[in-house]
Amino acid sequence: MREDIHTAGVPLLCVSCEARHRGICGALNSEQLVALAKSTKRYKAKAGKELMGDSRSVERFSNVLSGVVKLTKTLSDGRQQIVGLQFAPDFLGRPFRSESTLSAEAATDVELCSFPRQALERMIKEQPDLEHRLLEQKLRELDQARDWMVALGRKTASEKIASFLLMIVRNIDPAAGPERRGAAFDLPLSRAEIADFLGLTVETVSRQITRLRSENVIRIENNRHVIVDDIERLATRAGD
Amino acid sequence: MREDIHTAGVPLLCVSCEARHRGICGALNSEQLVALAKSTKRYKAKAGKELMGDSRSVERFSNVLSGVVKLTKTLSDGRQQIVGLQFAPDFLGRPFRSESTLSAEAATDVELCSFPRQALERMIKEQPDLEHRLLEQKLRELDQARDWMVALGRKTASEKIASFLLMIVRNIDPAAGPERRGAAFDLPLSRAEIADFLGLTVETVSRQITRLRSENVIRIENNRHVIVDDIERLATRAGD
DNA sequence: CGAGGGCTTGATTGATCTCAACTGGGGTGG
DNA sequence: CCACCCCAGTTGAGATCAATCAAGCCCTCG
């Protein structure tokens, strides 16, 4: 591969960065990347780390470079709902003020590339295609949110679990084409988090996972590692 | 009001159109409006009319000028979930292809202003601010979708109903400031539709509405007309 | 007046929640 | 090195909220 042609003048930080390929940075040329990289900070966060409190850090946006970030909303009495999961190379942040509040937390260890709100907004003026990418990303998030609304509102507990596993399979390595029959991966979420994602309790999640396992739809090692031999078979359980 | 200044050269069709004020057309100047208006068609549809099937009419976008449009998703076995409601002057349509399918239907009688996909895309090239408006709108929809995910996943039946009524109050005339105590409006949805929106059954919706009524939180006339004397009191029941 | 659709109400069922006990692995400190 | 603890996960038994099944009511419309 003649990567050198495309990487001429690209900041070292960005050379192998996925956000430059599938993420929003793909809208930028070398010069613009250099400019943006000036105010860019790349860092890692441990699982559990809060990345964006209701108000804190609204002033920075990030690209997710690796790992999984969960977006949650909490009711006053503590009930929680995960309203989104972000995988690399998703864009993390809510441009232009939001009325609704949500917080972001590292679900697994994550790697982020963050930059100040202003830097992004300045860059948008210069390169409108950046805003286009942003729109595409947010449209995808909207599609996903709506798919989950169906699951939350109308699917049974076991359908929810199957849908969830399917969603992880599809995001963990989207590289693999749709023709593959099996997959293996680590769950990015604990049982409690899965429950918060699916609007269930931990116990119900556990029981349904056990059921899928005893029906040989999935195998599990170490509580976190899942092996799916026949994705189609799992898809059957998802309901849609 | 010196509307004449701002309406000079504006197509007749657009003069008093809300989309020009709060909607996406606000991004356009008179000339651009004239250009767009050439391929624009304004029309009314009766409640129940399908506006956008899974594939049909993806080639046109619309502004909702009056009335309410519901966006629904359906599982293979017929279970339905309403995943969004659009009020004037919302933009209706999914630019740039979607993987996820959804259909749009007039919930009440509606008035639409529609234009071909191409016209919009051409106009975006000329006026990037149009894309910005689109992004803002979709971000709002995303915020709303996530609020509903919390309701669907974590709220009780009666909290769901209260949240729903509250949402309608806030959308039906957002003009009225947050200081007003009461409100009266017609429900844009039937009981069955409310059920599809909240992930409940018709019976549960009916019972919970009855309960709110017997507790004097709301009054109801003709099954559709709702009077809320104390919005705060209703908000208390919504859970957040 | 009779029929049908939308809505309500009642009785019962059932999926999921709640509460509680137990298990197993990993880490800690004596 | 081992005993202990702690936490995540599992499993069981019983309670509960909403679904289901079944009438019945109230408009509107023919």
Side-chain angles (χ1 to χ4, degrees):
Chain A
M1 273 189 258
R2 306 266 323 259
E3 276 293 346
D4 53 337
I5 290 180
H6 305 98
T7 58
V10 169
L12 211 58
L13 202 61
C14 307
V15 170
S16 66
C17 177
E18 223 187 334
R20 226 185 84 237
H21 300 297
R22 300 188 299 119
I24 59 162
C25 294
L28 306 176
N29 63 33
S30 320
E31 284 167 61
Q32 293 166 330
L33 280 173
V34 170
L36 187 58
K38 284 208 179 80
S39 47
T40 259
K41 224 184 306 188
R42 196 159 165 169
Y43 66 97
K44 294 170 197 259
K46 286 275 168 213
K49 169 90 179 175
E50 174 138 10
L51 303 173
M52 206 171 64
D54 284 341
S55 54
R56 198 176 65 78
S57 172
V58 212
E59 289 310 315
R60 294 189 77 80
F61 299 132
S62 308
N63 283 312
V64 180
L65 303 184
S66 70
V68 179
V69 174
K70 61 176 184 176
L71 307 177
T72 70
K73 279 175 156 290
T74 309
L75 297 178
S76 49
D77 64 357
R79 281 174 289 176
Q80 259 200 346
Q81 176 69 44
I82 296 183
V83 297
L85 290 179
Q86 315 250 232
F87 300 82
D90 284 351
F91 172 82
L92 181 60
R94 171 47 163 106
F96 324 123
R97 286 286 152 244
S98 162
E99 58 279 8
S100 87
T101 79
L102 94 192
S103 69
E105 188 182 319
T108 63
D109 292 353
V110 296
E111 225 176 330
L112 300 175
C113 178
S114 88
F115 36 84
R117 139 178 259 112
Q118 284 195 337
L120 182 78
E121 287 174 357
R122 222 180 303 121
M123 200 55 79
I124 282 177
K125 289 216 181 67
E126 191 176 318
Q127 176 55 277
D129 189 41
L130 189 55
E131 191 155 53
H132 179 74
R133 295 249 181 173
L134 222 44
L135 178 56
E136 294 256 30
Q137 151 103 29
K138 291 301 175 184
L139 283 169
R140 265 197 310 278
E141 284 181 43
L142 185 56
D143 288 341
Q144 285 165 12
R146 286 176 169 163
D147 283 341
W148 285 112
M149 289 177 77
V150 181
L152 288 170
R154 291 303 186 196
K155 288 188 182 176
T156 65
S158 74
E159 287 171 334
K160 286 179 180 179
I161 296 288
S163 306
F164 170 72
L165 293 175
L166 219 42
M167 186 273 257
I168 299 296
V169 167
R170 288 177 178 147
N171 274 284
I172 240 56
D173 70 323
E179 68 285 344
R180 76 193 186 295
R181 292 209 72 68
F185 55 91
D186 280 327
L187 287 175
L189 303 185
S190 70
R191 300 292 188 272
E193 289 171 319
I194 297 174
D196 279 345
F197 190 55
L198 299 176
L200 301 171
T201 57
V202 202
E203 294 93 328
T204 302
V205 170
S206 177
R207 282 188 246 270
Q208 296 303 333
I209 289 184
T210 300
R211 195 164 142 242
L212 281 181
R213 187 169 42 172
S214 67
E215 290 172 341
N216 298 312
V217 180
I218 57 174
R219 284 179 288 151
I220 296 192
E221 290 167 5
N222 301 328
N223 275 342
R224 283 283 190 137
H225 193 71
V226 178
I227 301 147
V228 187
D229 291 312
D230 184 348
I231 295 179
E232 270 315 306
R233 183 120 170 285
L234 179 60
T236 304
R237 315 297 180 102
D240 351 59
Chain B
M1 275 191 254
R2 307 268 320 262
E3 277 293 345
D4 53 339
I5 290 181
H6 305 98
T7 58
V10 168
L12 212 58
L13 203 59
C14 307
V15 171
S16 65
C17 177
E18 223 187 334
R20 226 184 83 237
H21 300 297
R22 301 188 298 120
I24 59 163
C25 294
L28 306 175
N29 62 32
S30 320
E31 285 168 60
Q32 293 166 330
L33 280 173
V34 169
L36 187 58
K38 284 208 180 81
S39 47
T40 258
K41 223 184 309 188
R42 196 159 166 169
Y43 66 97
K44 295 171 196 255
K46 284 277 169 209
K49 168 90 180 175
E50 174 138 12
L51 303 173
M52 205 170 64
D54 285 341
S55 53
R56 199 175 65 79
S57 171
V58 211
E59 290 310 314
R60 293 189 77 82
F61 299 132
S62 307
N63 282 311
V64 180
L65 303 184
S66 71
V68 179
V69 174
K70 61 176 186 177
L71 307 176
T72 70
K73 277 175 158 289
T74 309
L75 297 178
S76 50
D77 64 359
R79 282 175 288 177
Q80 258 199 348
Q81 176 68 44
I82 295 182
V83 297
L85 290 180
Q86 316 250 233
F87 299 82
D90 285 351
F91 171 84
L92 181 61
R94 170 45 164 107
F96 324 124
R97 284 290 150 244
S98 162
E99 58 280 6
S100 87
T101 78
L102 93 192
S103 68
E105 187 181 319
T108 63
D109 291 353
V110 296
E111 224 176 329
L112 300 174
C113 178
S114 89
F115 36 83
R117 139 178 259 112
Q118 285 194 337
L120 183 78
E121 287 173 358
R122 223 180 303 123
M123 200 54 80
I124 282 178
K125 289 214 180 67
E126 191 177 319
Q127 176 56 275
D129 189 42
L130 189 55
E131 191 154 52
H132 180 74
R133 296 251 181 170
L134 221 44
L135 179 56
E136 294 256 29
Q137 151 103 29
K138 291 300 173 183
L139 284 169
R140 264 197 311 279
E141 283 181 43
L142 185 56
D143 289 340
Q144 285 165 12
R146 286 176 169 161
D147 284 340
W148 283 112
M149 288 176 77
V150 180
L152 288 170
R154 291 303 187 198
K155 287 187 183 176
T156 64
S158 74
E159 288 170 334
K160 287 179 180 179
I161 296 288
S163 306
F164 170 72
L165 292 176
L166 219 42
M167 185 274 258
I168 299 295
V169 167
R170 288 177 178 146
N171 274 282
I172 240 56
D173 71 321
E179 68 286 344
R180 76 194 186 293
R181 292 209 71 68
F185 55 92
D186 280 329
L187 286 175
L189 304 184
S190 69
R191 300 293 188 271
E193 288 171 319
I194 297 175
D196 279 345
F197 190 56
L198 299 176
L200 301 171
T201 57
V202 202
E203 294 93 328
T204 301
V205 169
S206 176
R207 281 187 246 272
Q208 296 302 336
I209 289 183
T210 300
R211 195 163 142 243
L212 282 181
R213 187 170 42 174
S214 66
E215 291 172 341
N216 297 314
V217 180
I218 57 175
R219 282 180 288 151
I220 296 191
E221 289 167 5
N222 300 330
N223 276 342
R224 284 283 190 139
H225 193 70
V226 178
I227 301 148
V228 187
D229 290 313
D230 184 348
I231 295 179
E232 270 316 306
R233 182 122 172 282
L234 180 60
T236 303
R237 315 296 181 103
D240 0 52

